[in-house]
Amino acid sequence: MLSRVADSIYWMTRYIERAENIARFINVNLNLSLDMTSGMAGAWQPLVMTTGDHEVFEKRYGMDYSRENVIQFLALDREYGNSIISCVAAARENARSVREIIPSVMWEQINRSYLLLKDAAQNRLASREPHRFFKDITMLSHMFTGLLHTTMSRGEACHFALLGQLLERADKTSRILDVKYFMLLPKPEDVNSPYDVIQWGAVLKSTSGFETYRKQFHRIVPKQVCNFLIFDSNFPRAIRCCLTSAQCALHKITGTPRGTVSNQAEKSLGRLCADLDYSDIDDVISAGMHEYLDDLQTKINLVGLDIREAFFRIPDNLTEQVSVSVQ
């Protein structure tokens, strides 16, 4: 497979997953504002912190983290590269460049999603009916993922698509958990209060894990929620489950047996999965939850860089040859 094609497929699914995650946790925050009679002041700032782009926001909107500004920035700001509309547009462009590789229904779904999102932005649906708007985006993403799993042959293209989707999902789960643990409870007296329980429930809903968690553990216990979202090997949005599945996709791309490596990407992802296999929530708490998650996000980003170097980047000597031939 051409590196250009692999790169487009990989980023196509990363962008769709990113858009879905943003839509989901905005909608959860909207519902949380209905559940909480107080304590919602400043509750929109953590959503921007989750993306890591708070400096970009403050250059555009100052320190006014109002509901309107945050939704505009995260959902409809075309100048912000990680907004929902920018992500879907980027996914559409990547899909357009590989239309001959992916099933036509996948292209049609992405194109339909972009056109619906563009129309909703023009009609200000996010302001008039925000719950419907963000739920629709989530469902459009679910339809795309369903088409990926049911119509795409399990070859290299599919594995690159899954690799991008799973790395993005692991990163977003870690960020959602980190922001809750590090920012939303600045006052020690709020710990284990009803306010705290509602917020931890919102974290589970942000990862679509509320019902799965309650069926398994019944009571919402912060330590148990963290263990579930980091180390569970069966829940599809738990970090360990995502990275283990990403590792399988990577080995299927290279053809390298599990337990061996052929490039730096396999080595760094394998080391990260091994760390999760041989750690537990007590180790995380001992190290510090924020510090652990911050380090985990850095390692996931490094895996992404290693994947780019292994599969997508044109070597310098080939770049020089192309330049000479063009001249």
Side-chain angles (χ1 to χ4, degrees):
M1 176 177 288
L2 294 174
S3 62
R4 173 190 62 80
V5 173
D7 182 50
S8 294
I9 292 173
Y10 171 86
W11 280 105
M12 173 186 70
T13 53
R14 283 204 75 153
Y15 280 126
I16 290 293
E17 183 68 26
R18 188 172 301 175
E20 182 195 338
N21 276 277
I22 294 170
R24 188 187 305 107
F25 64 67
I26 291 177
N27 201 34
V28 168
N29 221 51
L30 288 167
N31 290 326
L32 186 62
S33 66
L34 298 176
D35 293 335
M36 304 289 290
T37 56
S38 62
M40 284 301 293
W44 288 95
Q45 182 178 3
L47 270 67
V48 180
M49 299 299 292
T50 299
T51 68
D53 292 327
H54 52 282
E55 293 180 0
V56 179
F57 177 92
E58 290 170 7
K59 287 180 181 178
R60 305 281 300 281
Y61 300 91
M63 296 300 295
D64 183 10
Y65 284 92
S66 65
R67 165 178 156 168
E68 292 73 19
N69 284 348
V70 170
I71 289 179
Q72 174 64 28
F73 178 70
L74 293 178
L76 301 173
D77 193 332
R78 288 181 175 272
E79 295 182 16
Y80 171 48
N82 287 324
S83 68
I84 292 174
I85 196 166
S86 294
C87 286
V88 174
R92 177 177 180 260
E93 183 60 26
N94 279 293
R96 185 195 60 78
S97 68
V98 293
R99 285 184 64 178
E100 74 281 4
I101 303 297
I102 63 174
S104 59
V105 288
M106 288 178 62
W107 155 252
E108 291 167 3
Q109 178 62 23
I110 290 183
N111 191 48
R112 187 183 303 112
S113 299
Y114 173 74
L115 295 176
L116 289 173
L117 185 57
K118 183 179 177 181
D119 182 62
Q122 292 174 346
N123 295 329
R124 302 185 61 82
L125 186 61
S127 299
R128 293 188 292 107
E129 300 180 66
H131 294 280
R132 174 189 165 191
F133 175 74
F134 293 111
K135 185 176 181 179
D136 285 349
I137 293 170
T138 302
M139 294 309 298
L140 288 169
S141 175
H142 287 175
M143 290 174 67
F144 172 80
T145 300
L147 291 170
L148 166 63
H149 284 279
T150 58
T151 67
M152 201 166 187
S153 177
R154 293 300 188 266
E156 281 187 340
C158 182
H159 296 310
F160 272 114
L162 292 172
L163 181 61
Q165 181 187 65
L166 291 163
L167 285 179
E168 184 68 29
R169 188 175 294 175
D171 177 74
K172 287 298 178 285
T173 297
S174 71
R175 291 181 184 277
I176 290 169
L177 185 56
D178 189 22
V179 167
K180 168 65 183 81
Y181 198 90
F182 188 61
M183 288 192 59
L184 293 188
L185 281 176
K187 297 183 293 184
E189 59 267 25
D190 287 332
V191 176
N192 294 324
S193 67
Y195 176 46
D196 191 23
V197 172
I198 290 173
Q199 285 197 334
W200 281 109
V203 169
L204 288 167
K205 291 175 183 176
S206 296
T207 59
S208 298
F210 183 77
E211 292 184 7
T212 302
Y213 174 89
R214 289 295 297 268
K215 288 175 183 177
Q216 187 172 349
F217 300 106
H218 308 297
R219 293 178 60 249
I220 293 180
V221 179
K223 181 178 178 180
Q224 212 161 45
V225 173
C226 293
N227 184 66
F228 175 71
L229 292 178
I230 298 173
F231 293 109
D232 195 274
S233 59
N234 296 314
F235 177 57
R237 292 188 178 275
I239 296 170
R240 182 184 180 187
C241 184
C242 289
L243 294 178
T244 301
S245 299
Q247 185 183 31
C248 291
L250 183 57
H251 279 283
K252 287 180 180 178
I253 291 169
T254 63
T256 307
R258 293 286 297 273
T260 60
V261 298
S262 61
N263 55 51
Q264 184 59 39
E266 289 179 330
K267 183 183 293 185
S268 56
L269 182 53
R271 185 180 295 120
L272 184 52
C273 289
D275 288 343
L276 287 165
D277 287 341
Y278 292 98
S279 300
D280 57 32
I281 193 62
D282 291 325
D283 295 330
V284 173
I285 293 174
S286 297
M289 180 67 73
H290 171 65
E291 290 75 14
Y292 177 85
L293 292 171
D294 191 54
D295 181 61
L296 184 63
Q297 290 159 21
T298 299
K299 290 176 179 177
I300 292 173
N301 289 337
L302 290 174
V303 170
L305 292 175
D306 289 335
I307 289 171
R308 185 186 68 180
E309 289 294 312
F311 300 107
F312 308 145
R313 191 178 71 84
I314 300 176
D316 293 336
N317 61 327
L318 292 181
T319 304
E320 293 171 1
Q321 292 174 19
V322 171
S323 299
V324 171
S325 64
V326 170
Q327 294 173 0

